Amino acid sequence: MAILQQIKVPLISINDTSLTVVDILFAHGALVKMGDILLVFETSKTTYDVLAEIDGYIEYRCNRETDYEVNELVANIYSDENEVPEKVVIKYEANKVFSKNHPSSDETMPIWHGQTFFSPAAIQLMELKGIGSAAFIGKDFVSLEDVMQLGKITKDQEVQASKQIASLPVDMEKVIVEKLSSNKKREIAYLSSVQSAGLTSTINTSVNTDGIFVHINQSLKHLKNSLLPVFIYESARLLQKYQPLNAYFTGDAIACYKEVNVGFAIDIDKGLKVLKIANTSTKGMKEIEQEIIELSNKYLDDSLHFNDLADIGFTVTDLSAEGVAFFTPLINMMNSAILGISSIDEKLHRCMISLSFDHRVTEGKLAARFLKELKERVESYQSKYYPLLNQEIGCFKCFKLLQEDLSDTGFVKCITPKGEEAYICQSCLKGF
Amino acid sequence: MLVQKINHRLIKQALTIRTVEEKFLSLFSEGKLNGTVHTCVGQEFSALAFAGQLKKKDFVFSNHRCHGHYIAFTGDTRGLIAELMGKASGTCGGIGSSQHLCNNNFFSNGIQGGIVPVAAGYALGNKLKKNGAIGVVYIGDGTLGEGTLYETMNIISKWQIPLLIVCENNFYAQSTPQSVNLAGDIRARAAAFGITTFQGHTSNPEQLLHDAKVAIEYVREQTKPCFFLVETFRLNPHSKGDDDRDPEEINNYRARDFLHIFSKDFTAYYDNYLAAIHKEVDDMVNSILPEPEQAMDAYYQPPVSDHNNNWRPLIGINKRQVELLNNFFKQQIVDNGRMLFLGEDILSPYGGAFKVAKDLSVLAPDKVFSTPISESAITGISNGLALNGFKPFVEIMFGDFVTLAFDQIVNHASKFHHIFNKKVTCPVVIRTPMGGKRGYGPTHSQTLDKFLVGIDNIKTVAINTFFDPAIVYDSILQEEHPVIVIENKTDYGKKILHHQAANFVYEINDAPFPVVKIKPVVSVPSLTILAYGGMADIVNNILSDIFFETDLKPELIVPSLISELPVDIIIQSAATTKRLLVIEEGSAFAGIGAELIAQVTEQMDIKIRIKRISAYAVPIPSVKTLEHIVLPEKERIIQEIKAYF
Ligand SMILES: Cc1ncc(C[n+]2csc(CCOP(=O)(O)OP(=O)(O)O)c2C)c(N)n1
C-alpha cells in the first residue's frame, strides 16, 4: 500500500528547463511491469524514455504534447489499483488573443469581449467609490488612472451615494460607537445598491432531501452531504433559460450577462465576499466542488484575484450549516436575484430554499417558475431516481444528455430505425 | 661579379618597383602623399619570385609592405601610384592607400597576421571550387609573434589547404632586431605542423625564383600548404624616416643587393632601363597629379532609418527554437550551394554545444567543418571564404569567446568592403549564444553584445522566442555584408511564442529583421519597454505582473536587428506613454540602452521619463542565487519600475 515509484521530469541537459511529454504508453490506472516504457519525453535534442522500475499501477499526472518543468511530478506507480487517484486534468493555457479579422495597426480599436484585468490600485479606488466592474466592460486593463478618468464623469453619482448613507445622531452617553470597518462599509454599499430601492421580494419552497446524498455524494470528494455544489450546478443550467435572473438594473435599463457566472457567498472572519465560479454552466459538479474549495482557500489566504470577484450574475448563499429554518437573502450589487439555502430538517427530510429577486428586472411568476424547476431538478437526485440518472441517458439523435436538457419534459423511450431501444429528446421528436 | 642568369624583363620589373617606391618617398617629402609608406627596397625579388610567378586565377594576400607584391602580381603601377596619391582612379579610390590594396585577387591589410587565416579561407574556397587556383600570403618575420598564424598553420596542414606562406625575414620588426623578439627556429615552426618548408635569399634571385616555382607547383599539385622562408634585407627605413639601424649593417647589405651589383656590372643597361622607368613613372605621376579625389558621397551615404510599420499578428509554433534553427541549417546545407558551416565540436553525433548543427555533417560532409579551438582562425577563414563567394556560417561556441575573433570581425570583416572601395563584399555570418541563467559562470554567461553593435558596417542581430528564427536567417542569406547573430542559451529549448500574456496583442512587422510589438488589446499603453533576445522572453513572461504590480500598461518592443534600433517605432510608442524603459542582459555602461536613449533623446521634442535596467557590472557568478541577482529578473524589474516611474 504505497507509492512505489515517483516519476519526475528529469534534468537531461542543462539547456532544457522543461520537457515535452510526447507519448503516454498506458491507460491511467493500468498495471505496468518493471522495464515497461511509461512515457516519452522530448528535449531540444533527443527523446527520452521513462521506464518502470517496479510492477504496479500507474497514475499519470501529465498529458501528451504538454510541457513540464524539470522536477515536476508527472506520474506515480502505486502498489494497489485502488490507490490510483482519478486523473487530474491539467488544462493547457492558451490565450486566444486574436480574432480572425484582427486589426493590424493602431488606427482601429478592436472590440474586446475578453476578461478585464484590474490593478490593485484600481480596485481600491473602485471599492472606495463603489464603482462596479461593469463600468469597464470592453476594457482589457483598468489602472488607477482609468478609474480616476471614470470618476470624473460619475462625480454626481458619488455625491448621491454618500447621501444615502446619511448619518444618524449618536449620544455618546448611551451608546458605544465603534467605527465601521471598511469591509463592513463596503458590504453595506454592496447590498444597499439593490435593496435600497425597496422593490425586492422573496419566495420560498421546500426541497425533499430524502436519500438525496446517496447519489450526490458519489460526485463529491470533499463536500460530502453539502447541497451547495448541486444547487450551483443546477441553478447555472437553469439560468441559461431564465435570463432576467442573471441580469441587473442599471437605472434606466436592464443589463443581461452573456455568461453564466454563479457566485457563492462566504463569510469566515474575513468579511462577506461573493466568489465567482466562472462559466458555471459549462462545468460539471466535480469541477464546481473543486472550485468552491480552491476559491475558499484563496479567500482564507487573502490571495483572491479581482477576477475571482468580478462579473458575478447570480449568487447562492448557503446557511445550511447554521441551523436556520429559512431566511431572506439580500441581493448583491449588479445582480437581480439570490438563492438562499437553509438547513436540512432531518426529521422532515426537507430543506427550505428562498429566492429574492429584484422587481425592476423580473417578476414573481418567472421567479416562482425558476424556483419550482430548481426544486424538481435537485429532488431528482433522490435515490429512487438514481439508477436512471446514473445511466447517462442521452438522445440517440442529437446525443444531448438528460442532464443537459432544459425543456423540463424529459426524454421519450423509443425504438430506433435499427430496431434498438433508445431515448429521444423532445426537440428531436417534435422538431424544433 | 654577377654570375646570375636573370631575364632582363625581371630586372626591369624589380627596378620599376624600386623606382615607384622611391618616388613615393620623394612625393611624401614634397607633401603630395598622405599617410604612410612601407617600402620594400632590397626585397623586390621576393615579390617577383612568388607574386610574380603565380597564375592569373591565383591570389595574393599581403601586408603593410605590399607595393612590390602588388606590382609583381597585377602589373598595375598606375593604379598603385594613383591610390597612394589619394585619387579616385587609384586601385581602391584612395580609401585604402598603401597598406590596403585590392585588385584582381590581390588583397592587402595592415594588421599583422590577420590576413593569414583570411588567405587560408580564400584558398579553401578554391579547393572547394576545384578550380586549381592556389594562393600566396606574405608575412614578415616580426609577424611570427602573432598567434593567429599558428592557429592557421595547424588548420591548413590538417585540412590540406593549398596556401603558400611566404615569410620575408628582413631580421627586423619595425625598429626591433630579431634577437630581441624571436625565439627558436623559424622553419621549425611550420615543420612542427607538418608543413613542408623551403628557404631562399633575395641576394640569389636565380635560385629564389627557381625554388619559388617549385614551392608553387608543390602547393598546386599536392593541394597542400607550404612555408617558404625568404631571407632578405630592407635597405630603407621601416616606413619613412624611422631607422635606428647601424649604417654599417645597411651598407653591407646594400653591397650584396642584386640591383646594386647589376648597376655596377652592367651600368649601361642599368642606366638605360632606369631612365626609361623614371620617365614612365614621372609621366604617370604628372598625369595623376591633377586628377580628382573620390567624392565623399560616393564613399558614404548616411543611412535612412525608416522602419516598417506594417504589422500582422504573430502565431505560435509548437517547436523549440533550436529545432527550427537546426531545420533551417539542415535544409540550407543541402540546398544552398554557397553555404558552409564551421565551428568547434559540430560534427555528428555531437552537433555543437547547443545542437544547432545536429546532423549537418552527415547531410553535407564536405560543407561542414569541425574546427580546432581557434576562434580567430576560423573566423578569418570564414572571412576568406566569404570574399571568395561563399556564405560561411561560423559558430562561436559561447558568446564570451567572440573576443578571440574580434580582430577578424573589426579589422577584417567589417572593413573589407569599404577599404577596398566597395570592390568586394564579405557576407560572413558569425553565430554565437550569449546570456546567463545557466550557472555556467563568469566566462560562459556574459552578454557582450554592446561590444559588437559598436562595430560599424556589421549587422548584429539577436533572435528571440517570438517568431521562427528562419525568418531572420532567410534575410541573412540575402545580406552581402557581415552579420553577427546572437542567440540565447536559455531560448534554445523554448518553443516559439509559447506564452502569450492575456489581454495583449502580439504583432510583427514585415521588415527583413522584424520588430515584434506586444501591446494591450485595447488600452493605450503607459510604459514603453524595449528588450531583445533572451531578455525579451523574460519580460514577456512578466507583462501581466508589471501591470498588476505597477499599475502601468506595458508595451514591449522587441527588435531583432540591434545594431540599428527601430528608433522611430520606439519614439512613436514613447510619445504616448511618456515612459521608456530599456531592459538588457548586458551591463548598462555604454550599452544598447545607452545608445537607444541617446538617439531617442536626440529625436524627441517632448520630455519623457527614461530608465535602464541591466546586469550589474560584474562577471556573472555561477552560484544560482547571485546569478539571479546580477541579471535583471522579475522582482528587480518590477521593483525598479515601481521606484522610478
Ligand atoms: C597587429 C599589429 N600590430 C602591430 C602593428 C604595427 N606594425 C606595423 S609593421 C610592424 C612590424 C612588422 O614586422 P615584420 O612582420 O617583420 O614586417 P616588416 O615590417 O619587417 O616587413 C608593426 C609592429 C600592426 N600593423 N599590426
Side-chain angles (χ1 to χ4, degrees), chain B residues 123-135:
Chain B
L124 174 60
N126 285 341
K127 183 178 171 184
L128 292 171
K129 287 177 177 174
K130 300 193 172 77
N131 59 11
I134 65 151

Side-chain angles (χ1 to χ4, degrees), chain B residues 222-235:
Chain B
Q222 305 281 314
T223 320
K224 275 186 183 161
C226 178
F227 183 92
F228 205 119
L229 177 63
V230 182
E231 291 189 332
T232 182
F233 200 78
R234 99 175 122 74
L235 300 175

Side-chain angles (χ1 to χ4, degrees), chain A residues 287-352:
Chain A
E287 273 175 275
I288 291 173
E289 182 201 25
Q290 186 64 31
E291 283 200 30
I292 293 173
I293 289 167
E294 282 168 13
L295 287 164
S296 307
N297 287 337
K298 279 163 100 178
Y299 166 86
L300 291 171
D301 314 337
D302 288 323
S303 61
L304 284 169
H305 193 274
F306 190 72
N307 285 313
D308 298 331
L309 307 167
D311 304 324
I312 294 167
F314 180 85
T315 310
V316 179
T317 173
D318 178 7
L319 293 183
S320 58
E322 312 298 332
V324 296
F326 81 94
F327 68 103
T328 300
L330 294 178
I331 304 162
N332 288 312
M333 186 162 86
M334 293 167 79
N335 275 191
S336 65
I338 181 167
L339 179 75
I341 310 169
S342 301
S343 303
I344 293 172
D345 185 326
E346 298 293 352
K347 275 196 209 122
L348 297 172
H349 300 297
R350 64 168 211 193
C351 152
M352 296 300 290

Side-chain angles (χ1 to χ4, degrees), chain B residues 64-65 110-112 140-143 146 170 172-174 238:
Chain B
H64 58 296
R65 206 173 299 286
I111 299 293
Q112 302 311 320
D141 55 300
T143 304
E146 292 289 357
N170 57 21
Y172 281 88
Q174 200 146 334
H238 167 71

Side-chain angles (χ1 to χ4, degrees), chain A residues 91-97 115, chain B residues 497-502:
Chain A
K91 281 223 197 106
Y92 178 64
E93 203 186 307
N95 285 303
K96 289 264 177 309
V97 174
Q115 58 194 141
Chain B
L497 200 62
H498 194 50
H499 170 78
Q500 290 193 28

Side-chain angles (χ1 to χ4, degrees), chain B residues 596-615:
Chain B
L596 176 77
I597 289 167
Q599 289 193 41
V600 167
T601 317
E602 279 169 354
Q603 293 178 38
M604 267 186 106
D605 41 18
I606 57 163
K607 203 172 152 29
I608 60 168
R609 300 274 289 154
I610 287 178
K611 168 137 193 81
R612 280 174 291 170
I613 299 178
S614 57

Side-chain angles (χ1 to χ4, degrees), chain A residues 165-234:
Chain A
I165 323 173
S167 47
L168 297 172
V170 283
D171 182 343
M172 289 300 197
E173 307 242 305
K174 294 177 186 159
V175 292
I176 301 164
V177 176
E178 198 188 321
K179 276 264 178 228
L180 284 179
S181 68
S182 57
N183 265 348
K184 195 68 199 173
K185 271 193 203 154
R186 212 176 297 137
E187 192 180 314
I188 295 168
Y190 204 67
L191 293 173
S192 49
S193 161
V194 181
Q195 261 71 215
S196 61
L199 291 170
T200 61
S201 306
T202 306
I203 54 174
N204 307 290
T205 189
S206 66
V207 174
N208 185 343
T209 57
D210 192 12
I212 203 164
F213 287 113
V214 177
H215 174 212
I216 291 177
N217 282 351
Q218 293 264 331
S219 307
L220 299 179
K221 237 166 115 183
H222 307 283
L223 301 175
K224 304 256 187 218
N225 297 328
S226 165
L227 287 173
L228 183 61
V230 70
F231 272 113
I232 293 176
Y233 175 78
E234 294 297 351

